[in-house]
Amino acid sequence: MAREVADFVHYGPGTLGGVYLRHFWHPVYVAADLKPGWTKRIEIMSEFFTLYRGESGAAHLVEDRCPHRKTRLSIGQIEGDSIRCFYHGWKFAGDGVCEEQPAELPSFKEGVCIRSYPVREYLGLIFAYLGEGEPPEFQEFPEAEYDNGRPIVVKKIVVPFNYFQRLENGLDELHVHFVHKVSASATHEFRSLPTAYAAEETDYGILRKTTYDRDGRKEIRTKYFMMPNIGLTLPPPATELDDWTPRLSWRVPQNDENTISFTLARHKPRGEKATSKNWESTDDIVNAIFDGRMRLKDVDVYHPRLFNIQDNTAMAGQGRMHEDREHEYLGRSDIPIVLLRRIYQREMKAAVDGRPIKRWRLPRERLVLGFQPAAE
Ligand code: FES
Ligand SMILES: [Fe+2]
């Protein structure tokens, strides 16, 4: 299979991937975790920002360094919808304009401002546009706005791996049969390996179609990947594990060694076994496995973060920043990953060359999720 090698691992300012991803809106924080009058320092794509919620309730995102003597604005105080630097009291409006410099003459603040970024709250998340110029159209997900009255749970999880490993894992159907074997084998639909793998580029990104033979009938399992970083998955509803639920996930590089997953999922009440224990953290378990103090098969199948433990173990095995894609052996089961790399390579190059990038459009029709008979 053709090799697709580019810089898939760096997303800081000025990098191939960093320039490209700054053309899109991304979730940066869980809305409920930011109360009025509070500030948070956040890192997205290896840059720090100050996120705050004004007393009016509006969220604002500005650069993290005060222009005066460069302390963090995130330690400042909120006054109305403005933020006042903790060090010498310079005050900035949400749009970045400097409103006060208590010790200076009035004319000194002319032309002094901080960078501010467009934000938007949607589906319980705060989205931001961190790029240059006008932001692109904001994509909405009507299907995620309600779910037959069932609550949608918003989660933020930081995983200690490079962003592109996380993206590739999300497009990798085969790993479900191995990495998530305990859960998948409890699910009728996953009882045999796929017989064919396919992926096509669409208006929205990648449509992955995996074929299964079910007692002589072909069935296709679909997965939607929306460029540049959104996945929509509907696993079969067979197990009681609360991770095994439909989910819409955004992956966002925090920096090149950590990736944030923002996930909207249907709420599935945990069984008694999952709630009755104080569970060890995902990272502690993965470290114990790597230290040889534990085996993956020893992890309690009712651990509420079982899926993360399984995925993180596989990805930790690749290394925190897996860069050596040149010496991999990609087979037919990697077809969706090859397509992902090809699209990223093409689009990242266009972005750094200043050429138009592909503007992805979410499908208008309702997405077909899960298994369905293959067309003859
Ligand atoms: S460093 Fe912010 S006002 Fe001086
Ligand atoms: Fe997985």
Side-chain angles (χ1 to χ4, degrees):
M1 194 154 284
R3 296 223 180 280
E4 302 290 340
V5 179
D7 180 0
F8 295 112
V9 299
H10 296 102
Y11 293 89
T15 59
L16 200 57
V19 170
Y20 178 55
L21 283 191
R22 282 169 176 77
H23 283 72
F24 300 90
W25 287 91
H26 299 289
V28 297
Y29 212 73
V30 174
D33 293 345
L34 185 66
K35 297 189 182 67
W38 280 75
T39 60
K40 302 282 174 184
R41 184 177 192 240
I42 60 170
E43 185 185 16
I44 304 287
M45 293 189 278
S46 303
E47 271 190 282
F48 288 97
F49 304 90
T50 292
L51 175 69
Y52 70 92
R53 198 183 284 290
E55 286 160 4
S56 73
H60 301 280
L61 187 70
V62 296
E63 65 180 279
D64 189 48
R65 296 275 172 195
C66 174
H68 178 219
R69 295 222 328 261
K70 304 289 178 184
T71 197
R72 294 178 186 182
L73 281 169
S74 43
I75 55 170
Q77 301 87 256
I78 303 308
E79 295 180 13
D81 269 279
S82 301
I83 184 163
R84 188 182 291 281
C85 180
F86 180 63
Y87 208 176
H88 315 97
W90 288 20
K91 183 178 151 193
F92 300 91
D95 63 3
V97 170
C98 185
E99 296 176 314
E100 280 179 30
Q101 297 166 320
E104 305 299 333
L105 298 174
S107 61
F108 191 63
K109 69 175 184 300
E110 279 166 25
V112 175
C113 63
I114 51 173
R115 185 155 177 205
S116 82
Y117 300 84
V119 293
R120 176 124 181 213
E121 291 194 44
Y122 182 59
L123 296 173
L125 294 168
I126 299 174
F127 289 79
Y129 175 68
L130 306 176
E132 302 295 329
E134 282 299 303
E137 188 187 343
F138 186 85
Q139 301 273 22
E140 297 194 335
F141 293 82
E143 291 166 16
E145 289 173 14
Y146 57 90
D147 181 30
N148 297 328
R150 276 178 289 197
I152 298 282
V153 183
V154 182
K155 280 188 196 160
K156 174 192 162 195
I157 296 173
V158 180
V159 292
F161 311 104
N162 183 255
Y163 164 76
F164 213 75
Q165 274 156 271
R166 193 68 198 79
L167 280 197
E168 292 184 336
N169 177 269
L171 274 165
D172 180 349
E173 171 111 355
L174 183 60
H175 91 282
V176 175
H177 295 266
F178 293 90
V179 171
H180 307 300
K181 193 172 173 46
V182 184
S183 321
S185 59
T187 302
H188 183 67
E189 282 87 345
F190 282 99
R191 70 191 185 279
S192 60
L193 288 185
T195 51
Y197 304 83
E200 60 194 71
E201 182 173 343
T202 64
D203 286 349
Y204 52 83
I206 294 175
L207 173 60
R208 184 187 75 186
K209 288 182 174 173
T210 314
T211 307
Y212 287 85
D213 277 342
R214 304 264 178 249
D215 308 319
R217 274 186 316 118
K218 285 200 187 319
E219 283 179 11
I220 307 277
R221 183 162 184 263
T222 50
K223 157 128 189 181
Y224 302 88
F225 176 76
M226 286 157 272
M227 280 289 291
N229 55 355
I230 309 165
L232 178 59
T233 317
L234 184 69
T239 85
E240 289 314 308
L241 293 170
D242 67 344
D243 263 0
W244 198 239
T245 58
R247 55 191 50 233
L248 184 61
S249 301
W250 286 259
R251 318 288 183 195
V252 182
Q254 181 175 70
N255 49 45
D256 295 335
E257 294 191 337
N258 296 284
T259 304
I260 311 172
S261 290
F262 291 100
T263 301
L264 305 181
R266 278 185 197 163
H267 178 67
K268 189 187 264 189
R270 276 185 196 168
E272 206 181 306
K273 286 184 179 152
T275 48
S276 59
K277 253 174 100 163
N278 281 330
W279 298 97
E280 252 188 294
S281 77
T282 303
D283 289 347
D284 285 350
I285 293 178
V286 173
N287 288 337
I289 291 167
F290 276 87
D291 289 350
R293 288 181 278 118
M294 194 175 182
R295 296 168 301 177
L296 242 175
K297 66 180 186 183
D298 300 328
V299 179
D300 191 324
V301 294
Y302 289 99
H303 194 296
R305 302 249 54 87
L306 181 63
F307 267 48
N308 293 93
I309 294 164
Q310 295 165 334
D311 277 326
N312 286 11
T313 303
M315 287 184 279
Q318 291 178 303
R320 195 147 180 182
M321 268 176 74
H322 171 50
E323 293 189 80
D324 184 15
R325 289 183 166 79
E326 198 176 344
H327 297 100
E328 296 172 338
Y329 282 88
L330 301 181
R332 64 175 191 143
S333 62
D334 301 304
I335 284 171
I337 286 161
V338 172
L339 180 60
L340 175 76
R341 293 182 190 178
R342 194 167 289 161
I343 293 172
Y344 253 76
Q345 197 166 20
R346 182 189 76 210
E347 295 298 311
M348 291 191 299
K349 182 92 172 55
V352 291
D353 290 349
R355 287 183 282 116
I357 58 169
K358 181 167 173 178
R359 280 298 171 193
W360 307 93
R361 308 224 153 273
L362 294 184
R364 293 264 173 257
E365 74 279 12
R366 190 169 172 84
L367 296 169
V368 181
L369 297 165
F371 284 98
Q372 45 192 303
E376 294 303 325

